[in-house]
Amino acid sequence: MSSLRPFCLTAWLTVLAAALLLLSPASQSRAQTQAAQATPAPQQSANPASASPSQTTVAATSPDQRGVTARAIDKVKQVAKSAGDIFSRVPCLSPKGGSKTMGSLPHVAGKLVAGQPVVIVAFGSSSTAGFGASSPEFNYPNRLAAQLRRHYPTADITVVNAGVGGEDAPEMMKRLQKEVIEVHPDLVIWQVGTNAVLRNLDPGDTAKLVEDGISRIQAAGGADIVLVDPQYSPAVNQRADSAGRMVKLLGKVAELRHVGIFPRFEVMRDWHEKQSIPVESFVIADGLHMNDWGYACFAQLLGDDIIRSVGQIKLGVNVPADVRTYRPM
């Protein structure tokens, strides 16, 4: 189920091998540091870009240096293996009892049926940007793009990552026009609310801003919209009352504005409380951000829901196509 394709892994190792012939011994200390950063772990808080295997370079001009090279190559292979078997170690399962779809996605479905390009904007904060992932390959927009392209192999699908760490609704509203509306997306996946909980902001104020933002997106062209509520994690759970209000209010906004919602909080709580997955298996050491497995499973379940929702349109279940229905998962 991993979105990391075999040819990508081969390309990483090929680039690494070529780099060995070009670097001088002076680069070894830097190479060792980069190689160490490339090793994924259940608990990590590195910037997502810093762990990209393609950035790992080493030199080999002596027996000792060859030892360094071998270790660096092993690190890269470990990253590749992690990408390949991320779900074989811990399966990604839907919440027990199943889930309903997020409603119809007429713009996405219409573009797919017509053979036209599909543009998706992933709008949000650090968990959209991918903080905590060992590589950009593992952030959720990239994983989602790979899944959708596998399912619709002849389609032209673009997923734009418009995540900025530390933001919530007030900051996001300032860039809504340029980074969302002016992109003319067919689908906007808006992840919001977590930082507001952590800052002790009024969930009602956040919900009002989100509702205003949805109104602007719909007025500008009516893109399909899916909200993503806060993550279930130790840092968020310390403010359980605020988090609970935020989840409920975002669900209410989705219902009132007839848009979809992906209940990330409940999905992640299901991982821990019903599937008995330790929190440290999907959240990094900061107690807030997801790790590679968390992002991958989140993207997989979100993608499954999008595919089911699009399928309803294609099968004529939701008619007329321009009527969006809200049905919580």
Side-chain angles (χ1 to χ4, degrees), residues 27-39 50 56-58 68:
S27 66
Q28 290 175 51
S29 61
R30 177 170 57 86
Q32 288 176 282
T33 300
Q34 290 176 320
Q37 291 176 334
T39 305
S50 68
T56 305
T57 54
V58 294
V68 171

Side-chain angles (χ1 to χ4, degrees), residues 105-113 118-120 186-187 224 306 310:
L105 300 175
H107 282 76
V108 175
K111 289 292 187 72
L112 289 172
V113 170
V118 174
V119 176
I120 300 172
D186 302 293
L187 171 63
D224 301 329
I306 290 172
V310 169

Side-chain angles (χ1 to χ4, degrees), residues 193-269:
T194 298
N195 287 319
V197 170
L198 298 178
R199 296 174 189 166
N200 290 317
L201 300 182
D202 184 351
D205 292 342
T206 297
K208 181 63 169 63
L209 286 172
V210 171
E211 186 174 1
D212 290 346
I214 292 173
S215 298
R216 287 177 56 187
I217 295 170
Q218 291 175 332
D224 301 329
I225 301 170
V226 174
L227 297 180
V228 176
D229 62 23
Q231 64 260 43
Y232 174 91
S233 65
V236 174
N237 296 342
Q238 289 177 3
R239 296 170 172 82
D241 290 344
S242 180
R245 284 192 63 209
M246 184 68 72
V247 169
K248 289 179 181 179
L249 285 172
L250 290 176
K252 186 65 175 178
V253 168
E255 184 175 7
L256 291 173
R257 300 304 308 180
H258 303 291
V259 302
I261 188 164
F262 182 87
R264 180 172 57 158
F265 187 88
E266 292 301 326
V267 166
M268 294 179 69
R269 180 158 67 178

